[in-house]
Amino acid sequence: MRTRLLGIGGVLAVIGAAFFGLFVVPADLNQGDAQRIMYVHVASAWIAYMSFGVTALAGIAYLWLRDLRLDAVALAGAEVGVLFTAFTIWGGMMWGRPVWGVYWQWEDPRLTTTALLLALYLGYLLLRRLSEDPARRATRAAIVGLIAAVDIPIVHFSVIWWRGLHQGPTIGSPDKLLHPSAPLQFVAALLLMLGAFTLVWGYLMIRRYQLARIEWQIEEHGRVGRISAARRASLAAHTAPAGTSQAAPVQESTP
Amino acid sequence: MTLAPPAPPPVAPRRRVWGAVLGVAIIAAVIAYFAFSGIGNALVYYVTPSELLARGTAAVGETVRLGGLVKVGSVSGPGTDLTFALTDGTHEITVHSSVAPASSFREGIGAVVEGQLGADGVFQASQVIVKHDENYVAPTKGAIPSQVIDPGG
Amino acid sequence: MSDVGFVLAGYGVILGGLAMYVLTLLRRLRTARERSLRIRKEADAAPPLPDSGR
């Protein structure tokens, strides 16, 4: 029930934040209306970082504590993170075409490392499907999740480290946190969208975690069923001769 | 559960394995593209006018991306027959393009052009990309679009 | 396409995609819960396993 409230609150907050970003805040003087995409684009990117960060931390915690619930958290982070990375790329393309003149540029460090981020976590999700042994799957996923997380800071700092097309951080760097290169109302619209996305993110994480737990219970049941069937068969093979020999005299005596 | 020993994991269905192999192959291809396309220019998305001119005649005819600021006062012609100068503050190169850039193109803004430097010193661009900076400006009364800066002097 | 068109495409796909993911997730969750419930009922109805260890 509390989770449902979080979901409803998140949806309402996203609608409110979208309304604020689309209709209340003025368009940027130079970029025009296209700049409004920045609110969903940047918020999606930060949520994606957070998701993959959770996957990495849950992976470390799993390797330490060996609790499969942590692996479910890691899975939730990866799937939700992939969704928000896709949103980031889509928003970026819809902004890039009117402002840059192109949807996409390979070899721009920010764009390419972001595409790599998406590919890495799609690979993470695919890898999970290869193994059906929960502990082995969780261990492998934790390691791959950790390796993939290396790309998160690379994506973020790519605009500072390398020459590219993508602009540098407006508020996402230490020196700009207090002095963003954007008017306060633009920052407010971005933070509003970030807050709204965070609510929805929390809801999605909880629901995806619950789904993983139930699916794994079903999986576990199937495994137990197979073992039971095998045991029953071997038990029958060993005890059947004894059972029949015991039963035979009884049958003989009845007629 | 006190089940022991644990059952060996059942073999994944063939289809699932192939799906995963395909996925891993696609990912490997993306990573390979990322890793090897940078060879020769070592993660340099564009070169500056100074860097291109420093190569001398070797740069003529080679397809490169050239980046800089659109020099104020240098833009002439319609979008489909555009001539302007790109500057990095030290050197500048005259660029000609027959492909119209995005409407955000204006003097003083950053731009990245793709094409070849001609023997006549004019860079023939097949694509003009407007490079936007990280600054946002709210419209206020009397403000004019674009912060006009001219490092070219 | 005008700037406004790109803005609509950007917001539309992202917010629409978010809504679709929520709905898909809830459907997956409902299916899984139903299946889990059915399995539990079947397990209760079935004769005790010789090795259930409970």
Side-chain angles (χ1 to χ4, degrees), chain A residues 236 238-253:
Chain A
H238 284 108
T239 57
T244 39
S245 61
Q246 271 173 8
V250 185
Q251 271 182 346
E252 266 171 5
S253 64

Side-chain angles (χ1 to χ4, degrees), chain B:
Chain B
M1 308 266 171
T2 54
L3 285 169
V11 180
R14 203 166 270 266
R15 195 153 44 95
R16 195 182 284 182
V17 172
W18 280 113
V21 167
L22 185 73
V24 170
I26 292 170
I27 290 154
V30 170
I31 293 169
Y33 180 87
F34 173 65
F36 296 116
S37 66
I39 283 178
N41 50 8
L43 277 174
V44 172
Y45 175 71
Y46 61 81
V47 295
T48 62
S50 298
E51 286 167 356
L52 192 65
L53 291 175
R55 288 192 209 164
T57 49
V60 173
E62 190 194 349
T63 301
V64 286
R65 284 200 200 91
L66 177 70
L69 290 170
V70 179
K71 192 182 176 186
V72 174
S74 70
V75 180
S76 67
T80 50
D81 184 23
L82 196 65
T83 304
F84 58 93
L86 269 187
T87 172
D88 56 16
T90 318
H91 291 93
E92 61 179 71
I93 292 177
T94 304
V95 178
H96 177 261
S97 164
S98 51
V99 184
S103 57
S104 50
F105 181 87
R106 53 177 64 95
E107 294 183 343
I109 205 165
V112 176
V113 296
E114 204 176 310
Q116 298 94 21
L117 186 66
D120 56 352
V122 175
F123 192 93
Q124 295 294 335
S126 54
Q127 190 176 37
V128 178
I129 301 169
V130 178
K131 184 181 182 328
H132 210 283
D133 64 18
E134 71 275 21
N135 299 304
Y136 297 90
V137 188
T140 46
K141 225 175 170 185
I144 48 151
S146 162
Q147 52 286 44
V148 178
I149 30 168
D150 186 14

Side-chain angles (χ1 to χ4, degrees), chain A residues 2-17:
Chain A
R2 215 175 283 171
T3 310
R4 180 173 294 176
L5 277 178
L6 176 66
I8 295 169
V11 168
L12 292 178
V14 168
I15 293 171

Side-chain angles (χ1 to χ4, degrees), chain A residues 207-251:
Chain A
R207 288 289 186 241
R208 187 62 189 87
Y209 168 83
Q210 291 172 335
L211 177 64
R213 296 293 292 162
I214 294 171
E215 279 180 341
W216 294 353
Q217 261 173 23
I218 295 171
E219 217 178 83
E220 179 67 26
H221 179 89
R223 246 192 313 277
V224 171
R226 272 194 295 278
I227 298 166
S228 304
R231 282 255 174 128
R232 208 182 265 157
S234 71
L235 217 78
H238 284 108
T239 57
T244 39
S245 61
Q246 271 173 8
V250 185
Q251 271 182 346

Side-chain angles (χ1 to χ4, degrees), chain A residues 52-53 55-57 117 120-121 143-154:
Chain A
F52 295 145
T55 296
L57 290 179
L117 194 69
L120 282 170
Y121 282 92
I143 294 166
V144 172
L146 268 179
I147 296 169
V150 172
D151 195 31
I152 303 172
I154 296 179

